[in-house]
Amino acid sequence: MRLHDEEPEAGPFEPVTAAELAALLPSGRALVVVDGRSGGGKTTVADRLGHPVVHTDDVAWQHHPTDWADILLDHVVAPWRRGEPVSYRPPAWDRLDRPGAIEVPVCDVLVVEGVGAGRAAVAAHADLVVWVQSDRDEARRRGIARDIEYGRTPDEAEEFWDGWMRSEDPFLAAERPWTRAHLVVSGTPPVDGAADGRVWVARGSASL
């Protein structure tokens, strides 16, 4: 696995079933954050946890690529902690007429997924921090392919990816969210577990 220079390689990774992964989560009321690099498989991991998910891309939409922690904590995490349902429209949603809202039902476990979800300011409120480690070349390939699916040309997708990385790379290098992780998951495992829902977890993570 080819990683960024500042990130140590975790592992070895072992496949676990969805039920085994669920058993690694905290019991009772818990905030779980899933962090990792763009294109690294965070959304797939978050979805397999089996609980409501908030995507930081929605919180940060047309706001700022990395400076959104206060919005998340004040308007999503705080009301959820109080046992209230969440229906929140970030400022940019109103300003640019984006329909809908960030919705969270009353629930015991809330998953927050996205680049920077494991930053210090958010991790201080989390009960479990998950870092999704991924091969940087495969993450780039996935990210560009995803943007092409969204309608960008290949050249536009590469330009968008490189521009985003100019924010993401120094931010993660400074924050080092993997150092706060209780659980490290491979976002680019050697065998695709999509068919049976397996996730590849680093030995020594949580209670594995």
Side-chain angles (χ1 to χ4, degrees):
M1 188 180 297
R2 194 169 84 90
L3 304 173
H4 290 70
D5 291 341
E6 68 274 4
E7 183 184 347
E9 186 170 0
F13 291 95
E14 301 177 359
V16 300
T17 65
E20 291 169 332
L21 180 65
L24 298 176
L25 301 184
S27 58
R29 197 165 183 77
L31 174 64
V32 177
V33 299
V34 180
D35 202 343
R37 300 183 186 275
S38 292
K42 301 180 302 301
T43 301
T44 298
V45 172
D47 288 344
R48 289 183 183 173
L49 296 179
H51 296 282
V53 178
V54 168
H55 304 283
T56 64
D57 281 351
D58 291 330
V59 177
W61 184 78
Q62 296 296 322
H63 176 68
H64 192 278
T66 58
D67 185 13
W68 43 257
D70 55 341
I71 297 177
L72 173 72
L73 293 171
D74 293 345
H75 299 285
V76 178
V77 174
W80 167 78
R81 284 283 188 197
R82 294 194 296 266
E84 302 169 1
V86 176
S87 183
Y88 175 63
R89 289 177 55 80
W93 289 41
D94 283 334
R95 189 177 72 250
L96 298 172
D97 295 324
R98 175 173 170 172
I102 296 172
E103 306 274 1
V104 181
V106 175
C107 56
D108 285 336
V109 178
L110 173 61
V111 179
V112 173
E113 171 275 326
V115 176
R119 70 182 66 200
V122 178
H125 299 267
D127 301 284
L128 183 77
V129 177
V130 180
W131 175 253
V132 181
Q133 186 164 88
S134 56
D135 179 87
R136 62 188 302 180
D137 297 326
E138 175 62 11
R140 177 184 172 87
R141 185 199 66 77
R142 288 178 182 172
I144 290 174
R146 178 183 59 201
D147 286 344
I148 292 172
E149 288 181 2
Y150 290 164
R152 292 187 173 96
T153 67
D155 286 345
E156 289 170 341
E158 288 200 21
E159 182 179 357
F160 179 81
W161 177 272
D162 292 340
W164 179 265
M165 287 302 111
R166 285 193 286 272
S167 293
E168 177 177 311
D169 285 345
F171 174 78
L172 291 179
E175 276 283 346
R176 304 174 70 84
W178 51 84
T179 64
R180 304 180 191 97
H182 307 96
L183 190 68
V184 181
V185 175
S186 176
T188 50
V191 177
D192 183 10
D196 57 11
R198 291 179 301 165
V199 173
W200 290 70
V201 177
R203 185 181 299 159
S205 291
S207 58
L208 183 67

